[in-house]
Amino acid sequence: MDETIHIVKIISIEPVTHNVKRFTVEKPPGYSFKPGQATEVSINTPSLKEEKRPFTFTCLPESENLEFTIKIYDDHDGVTKALGKLKEGDELIIRDVWGAIIYNGPGIFIAGGAGVTPFIDIFRQLNKEQKVDGNKLIFSNKTSKDIILKDEFSKILGQNFINVITREKTVEFENRRIDLNYLKEKIIDFKQHFYICGPDIFVTDITKAVTELGADAESVVFEK
């Protein structure tokens, strides 16, 4: 079956952190998704239109427009570097919706860096529905300036928003890695849902750790 493509204009581009931008784009008629899902995006130019990259929707499904929160890698010539140079009115190509990270009930969300993006609209949806209770987000970043939507997550989750910093000494956050020992120390109940997203090795290691500590494999949600 041929994949449906939609050409959409960029409505606005805003900074989120020093290297993350929020892209608001047109929403095609009838286009729908669930919180946590993604699509493949490319830039609508002759040289880049076939360079597809997966990005998660970070707006609520009923939003008038679509939103993507994207980390820009300026240190190599790739798609995100090109995205970082775009402006309002430029065009993107989006495709069919996909994604395995769907909310199944209260649990522990564990994210590494830009891997937090599938969780953004999940928590926005839970906040809207007043169903945040029972959920916790553990978020690993290299430095404190890398924390995406720190204020919003703090407002939604309060003390259940936990930041771990790996390459900076701070008094505000713990300076360590999320590993089996950390999880064993911080989590009492492993018979709950776990949602994991981040770099491949991060997902592999954390999934293995929570399973070894007693999590049911069927209750661990990650992008396969």
Side-chain angles (χ1 to χ4, degrees), residues 102-111 119 122-123 126 131-138 157 159-162 183 186-196 210 215 219-221:
I102 301 295
Y103 183 72
N104 295 321
I108 307 290
F109 290 74
I110 306 173
F119 302 157
I122 289 177
F123 278 114
L126 290 174
K131 294 180 179 178
V132 174
D133 288 353
N135 291 289
K136 179 179 290 186
L137 172 59
I138 303 173
L157 287 158
Q159 293 184 341
N160 286 321
F161 177 41
I162 300 168
L183 297 169
K186 300 295 182 180
I187 300 172
I188 298 172
D189 177 17
F190 284 88
K191 300 300 182 183
Q192 59 182 312
H193 293 291
F194 285 87
Y195 305 88
I196 304 166
V210 297
S219 297
V220 180
V221 176

Side-chain angles (χ1 to χ4, degrees), residues 178-221:
I178 301 174
D179 54 17
L180 187 144
N181 290 330
Y182 176 90
L183 297 169
K184 186 177 181 179
E185 178 184 324
K186 300 295 182 180
I187 300 172
I188 298 172
D189 177 17
F190 284 88
K191 300 300 182 183
Q192 59 182 312
H193 293 291
F194 285 87
Y195 305 88
I196 304 166
C197 194
D200 289 346
I201 188 65
F202 179 91
V203 172
T204 299
D205 289 349
I206 301 301
T207 301
K208 181 180 178 183
V210 297
T211 303
E212 287 183 8
L213 289 167
D216 184 342
E218 296 299 314
S219 297
V220 180
V221 176

Side-chain angles (χ1 to χ4, degrees), residues 5-187:
I5 69 168
H6 305 276
I7 298 174
V8 295
K9 285 188 177 182
I10 297 173
I11 297 170
S12 66
I13 303 172
E14 305 164 277
V16 177
T17 71
H18 67 104
N19 61 357
V20 175
K21 293 185 176 184
R22 178 187 297 112
F23 293 79
T24 302
V25 307
E26 295 172 328
K27 184 178 185 179
Y31 197 82
S32 63
F33 63 92
K34 295 178 181 178
Q37 289 190 310
T39 188
E40 288 195 317
V41 178
S42 56
I43 299 171
N44 191 28
T45 63
S47 62
L48 290 171
K49 64 182 181 180
E50 297 301 327
E51 293 290 330
K52 307 172 187 177
R53 298 293 185 274
F55 294 115
T56 307
F57 304 103
T58 53
C59 53
L60 294 176
E62 67 269 21
S63 297
E64 179 181 357
N65 302 305
L66 298 176
E67 176 188 295
F68 300 97
T69 302
I70 299 174
K71 185 174 181 179
I72 306 300
Y73 294 89
D74 276 328
D75 55 347
H76 60 270
D77 290 323
V79 171
T80 67
K81 183 174 182 178
L83 282 167
K85 296 179 179 179
L86 297 181
K87 58 185 185 302
E88 294 177 14
D90 287 338
E91 294 179 339
L92 301 179
I93 300 172
I94 63 173
R95 297 167 175 83
D96 297 334
V97 171
W98 56 272
I101 299 182
I102 301 295
Y103 183 72
N104 295 321
I108 307 290
F109 290 74
I110 306 173
V116 79
T117 54
F119 302 157
I120 293 173
D121 60 339
I122 289 177
F123 278 114
R124 287 174 172 173
Q125 185 72 39
L126 290 174
N127 189 50
K128 178 186 175 185
E129 297 174 356
Q130 298 184 332
K131 294 180 179 178
V132 174
D133 288 353
N135 291 289
K136 179 179 290 186
L137 172 59
I138 303 173
F139 193 10
S140 176
N141 283 283
K142 293 177 182 178
T143 72
S144 53
K145 71 177 183 178
D146 297 318
I147 301 173
I148 296 171
L149 298 179
K150 176 187 170 186
D151 292 344
E152 183 174 354
F153 281 131
S154 296
K155 184 176 181 180
I156 292 174
L157 287 158
Q159 293 184 341
N160 286 321
F161 177 41
I162 300 168
N163 289 281
V164 181
I165 302 301
T166 61
R167 298 187 187 178
E168 176 190 30
K169 296 296 182 182
T170 71
V171 295
E172 186 177 5
F173 307 119
E174 287 195 87
N175 312 128
R176 57 191 294 192
R177 293 187 178 277
I178 301 174
D179 54 17
L180 187 144
N181 290 330
Y182 176 90
L183 297 169
K184 186 177 181 179
E185 178 184 324
K186 300 295 182 180
I187 300 172

